[in-house]
Amino acid sequence: RRSSDLAASHTYPIVFPHGALHLDLVLRWLYLVMRLRDPAMNLLQGLWRRMSMWWVLAKTFRHLPIYKADSVIVDGGIGVYQELIQHVDANDPYWKEKKARLCDLDRCPSTHVMGGWYDFFLRESLRDFEQLQKPNRRSDTVHQLTVGPWYHWQMWKWFGPTLQESIEWFDIQLKGHKHKLRDKPVRLYVMGAEEYRDFDAWPPPCSTTAWNLHPAGRLSQTLPSAGSSYSEFKYDPHDPTPSVGGPSFDWFNCGPSDQNGFEKRSDVLVFTSEVLHEDLLIIGYVSARLYVRSSVQHTDFVARLCDVYPSGRSVNLCDGLCRITPEPPSSGSEDKLDANCAYSREAGDLVTVESAQLGSDMTPSGTGLLCIEVDMWATANQFKRGHRIRLQVASGGHPRWSRNLNTGDEYHGDSAVTANQTVFHDRSRPSALLLPTIFSLC
C-alpha cells in the first residue's frame, strides 16, 4: 500500500497543459537541476547562480525560437528539453509508452491522492482519482482524495494537514487501523467558506449554471439580447499576455493573486456579475463556452474565473487555455462538425479544425465563427454575499503556457503576428461561463 501525494499517471498534460508547453515549469525545473546542483560549483558560483536565476529565466522565457530556449541556461542546450520539444503531440507513442510505465490504474493498490487547488498537478490528480473510484476497479482497495487551498511551493502544508493525512493513511494501510478511515473518501477545502468538507465522490453532484456574457463587460444568468453583440481585443506575441498567480512553478508568482492590475491590460476582456445577494457554492470542473473569431488560423483563448471582493479586489480561482490550429482532415476520420460548433475534435487539449471548413481568417463557410469550450480545471469556492463573479478572457498566460506566435510554427519560429480577436455574446452566439453549482450546502 502507498500514499500518493500530488500524483499523476500521465505526464503529457503536465508538461503540455492544453497542448501548450508549460514553459515556466519545464525551464525553471531544468535551471534548478542543471545550474544549482552542479557538483563542480563552488560557493561563490552557487551564490551568483542563485542571484542571477530570475534574470536568466526571464531571458529564457522571452527567447525565440522556443526550441532553443534551453541554450540560454546551458550552452549547447539540454537533452531532456530537446527530447520534449520533439514530442509535442499528445497522441505521440512516446507519451503513451511513458504513461504505461508510470502507473496502471487498473492494478493500483489503495491510494491516497493529495493535491492543491493551485497546484499544476491538480487536474491529472483529479482525473486519476476519478478512474480509481470506478466500481470495476479492484475490490480489495480503498482510495481517498484530499485537496487543499495550497499551491506547489507552500511548504508549510507538509507539516500540517498533508503530513497528518499521510501518517493516518499509513496507520490504516500498514498497522490495520481501519477505524481511521473516513466515512466519506473525498475531503475538499472550500475556499470562501474556509473549511474542509467531505463528500462521497469526485466530483460531487452539482448543477451546471450558465453565466452569460453581455455587452459592457456584464455577466448574468439571463440570456443576452437578440442583436449582434461582441467584444474585441488584440493579442501581440511580442508583448504576450502574462500569467498572474495560479498553478505556476514560480514561487513568487503562484496561487491566489490580486488580478486588478492585470485586468487593466488592453489585451484582456473582463466580464463581471452584479453583487451577489446570497452565497453561491461551486465545486467541480469549470469551463467557458466561447463563440470566437480570429484574424489568424493558429491562436489561443484563455478563460479565468475570479472572485471579486466588496473592496474591488479580484482574486483568481482557476483558468484554462484552448489552443486552436487547423488540421487536414484524415481519410476515414470519425470527426464530425457539431451542429452548433465549428471545431471538429479535441486531441489531448488541442482543438483541431478541419481545414476544408476554414478560410484565411479562420472562417468556416465565410462566417468566421468558432465555438470553443475552454477547460478551466476545477475549484471549490463559496462566493460570499456581497462578492461578484468575474470571467477574464485573453489569448495568453506567459510563461505558464508558451506563447502562441499565431503563425503555426510555435516552437521553431522566430517571428510572430498580431491577432485580432473577437468574442461574441448575443442570443444566437451565447458565450457563457459554466459553473458547477451546489445549492444544498450553502
Side-chain angles (χ1 to χ4, degrees):
R1 303 296 191 267
R2 66 186 177 93
S3 173
S4 180
D5 182 28
L6 300 172
S9 65
H10 194 12
T11 52
Y12 177 85
I14 297 169
V15 178
F16 291 94
H18 307 279
L21 177 65
H22 193 151
L23 205 63
D24 172 66
L25 170 61
V26 173
L27 289 174
R28 192 179 301 276
W29 180 81
L30 287 174
Y31 185 95
L32 293 173
V33 171
M34 303 297 294
R35 300 291 289 174
L36 299 186
R37 297 180 63 183
D38 183 355
M41 178 175 58
N42 60 41
L43 178 60
L44 290 178
Q45 288 174 323
L47 290 173
W48 169 247
R49 288 182 183 181
R50 282 168 173 77
M51 292 171 59
S52 62
M53 180 174 67
W54 305 105
W55 173 82
V56 173
L57 285 174
K59 183 180 179 182
T60 305
F61 297 148
R62 292 194 303 268
H63 187 83
L64 290 177
I66 292 174
Y67 88 98
K68 287 186 177 181
D70 57 331
S71 62
V72 179
I73 298 175
V74 175
D75 290 339
I78 303 171
V80 174
Y81 182 80
Q82 291 302 314
E83 185 176 332
L84 294 175
I85 292 297
Q86 291 172 15
H87 302 283
V88 300
D89 187 349
N91 296 314
D92 192 309
Y94 172 88
W95 295 107
K96 294 181 179 179
E97 181 184 349
K98 282 189 175 297
K99 183 177 182 181
R101 290 205 312 264
L102 275 174
C103 182
D104 182 356
L105 294 179
D106 289 320
R107 302 174 61 187
C108 194
S110 294
T111 303
H112 190 169
V113 180
M114 299 187 191
W117 292 123
Y118 293 98
D119 196 282
F120 46 76
F121 283 113
L122 173 68
R123 185 172 59 157
E124 293 313 299
S125 296
L126 295 177
R127 286 176 172 176
D128 283 352
F129 185 78
E130 281 194 80
Q131 294 298 313
L132 290 171
Q133 69 183 352
K134 288 185 176 180
N136 60 340
R137 300 292 174 183
R138 288 174 49 178
S139 60
D140 61 336
T141 58
V142 177
H143 305 294
Q144 289 187 170
L145 170 69
T146 302
V147 184
W150 50 72
Y151 46 88
H152 194 76
W153 286 108
Q154 282 183 308
M155 298 305 293
W156 58 265
K157 71 188 176 81
W158 302 108
F159 304 101
T162 304
L163 180 61
Q164 179 183 348
E165 293 276 6
S166 296
I167 292 174
E168 289 185 355
W169 182 252
F170 283 124
D171 283 346
I172 295 167
Q173 301 301 327
L174 302 179
K175 296 182 178 180
H177 294 177
K178 302 300 182 184
H179 65 281
K180 291 187 176 182
L181 275 172
R182 300 173 184 163
D183 292 333
K184 298 182 179 182
V186 176
R187 178 163 294 167
L188 309 174
Y189 188 87
V190 180
M191 297 177 289
E194 312 306 338
E195 64 182 14
Y196 281 94
R197 296 182 183 178
D198 291 350
F199 299 89
D200 293 314
W202 170 265
C206 66
S207 299
T208 300
T209 54
W211 289 77
N212 297 290
L213 280 61
H214 287 258
R218 293 187 299 112
L219 193 66
S220 171
Q221 290 185 275
T222 62
L223 284 172
S225 60
S228 178
S229 178
Y230 56 86
S231 300
E232 297 177 301
F233 65 96
K234 293 182 183 292
Y235 166 65
D236 181 4
H238 296 104
D239 179 24
T241 315
S243 55
V244 179
S248 168
F249 198 44
D250 180 351
W251 50 85
F252 290 121
N253 182 27
C254 58
S257 302
D258 191 336
Q259 301 287 308
N260 292 96
F262 169 80
E263 290 169 350
K264 294 177 181 178
R265 288 181 60 101
S266 62
D267 54 0
V268 178
L269 299 179
V270 175
F271 298 88
T272 310
S273 74
E274 297 292 333
V275 172
L276 298 176
H277 297 297
E278 58 184 19
D279 290 0
L280 176 69
L281 176 63
I282 63 168
I283 301 177
Y285 294 109
V286 179
S287 63
R289 182 188 64 236
L290 302 177
Y291 289 83
V292 299
R293 180 173 62 199
S294 178
S295 60
V296 297
Q297 289 190 335
H298 302 266
T299 196
D300 294 342
F301 283 91
V302 171
R304 180 172 296 109
L305 173 65
C306 298
D307 187 348
V308 183
Y309 287 66
S311 64
R313 183 170 179 255
S314 175
V315 176
N316 56 299
L317 295 175
C318 61
D319 55 19
L321 172 144
C322 180
R323 176 153 289 189
I324 301 169
T325 183
E327 179 182 82
S330 58
S331 59
S333 172
E334 297 181 357
D335 301 332
K336 296 181 180 179
L337 290 175
D338 186 279
N340 298 312
C341 300
Y343 64 83
S344 57
R345 65 179 175 87
E346 271 194 44
D349 284 297
L350 204 64
V351 174
T352 56
V353 184
E354 292 191 14
S355 59
Q357 301 291 325
L358 292 172
S360 59
D361 64 344
M362 194 196 282
T363 305
S365 306
T367 65
L369 179 67
L370 290 176
C371 178
I372 62 174
E373 184 159 324
V374 184
D375 172 9
M376 299 167 64
W377 293 29
T379 193
N381 187 72
Q382 186 159 315
F383 294 91
K384 304 295 287 184
R385 184 178 64 178
H387 287 222
R388 291 177 291 166
I389 302 168
R390 177 166 290 171
L391 175 69
Q392 300 173 0
V393 179
S395 282
H398 187 79
R400 179 183 166 201
W401 296 292
S402 56
R403 54 182 154 169
N404 198 321
L405 303 179
N406 299 332
T407 62
D409 194 6
E410 53 199 280
Y411 296 110
H412 293 82
D414 55 7
S415 61
V417 297
T418 298
N420 300 311
Q421 314 289 52
T422 305
V423 178
F424 294 90
H425 36 68
D426 51 45
R427 186 68 59 87
S428 62
R429 297 163 295 190
S431 294
L433 168 66
L434 305 177
L435 297 181
T437 308
I438 297 180
F439 295 100
S440 60
L441 298 177
C442 287

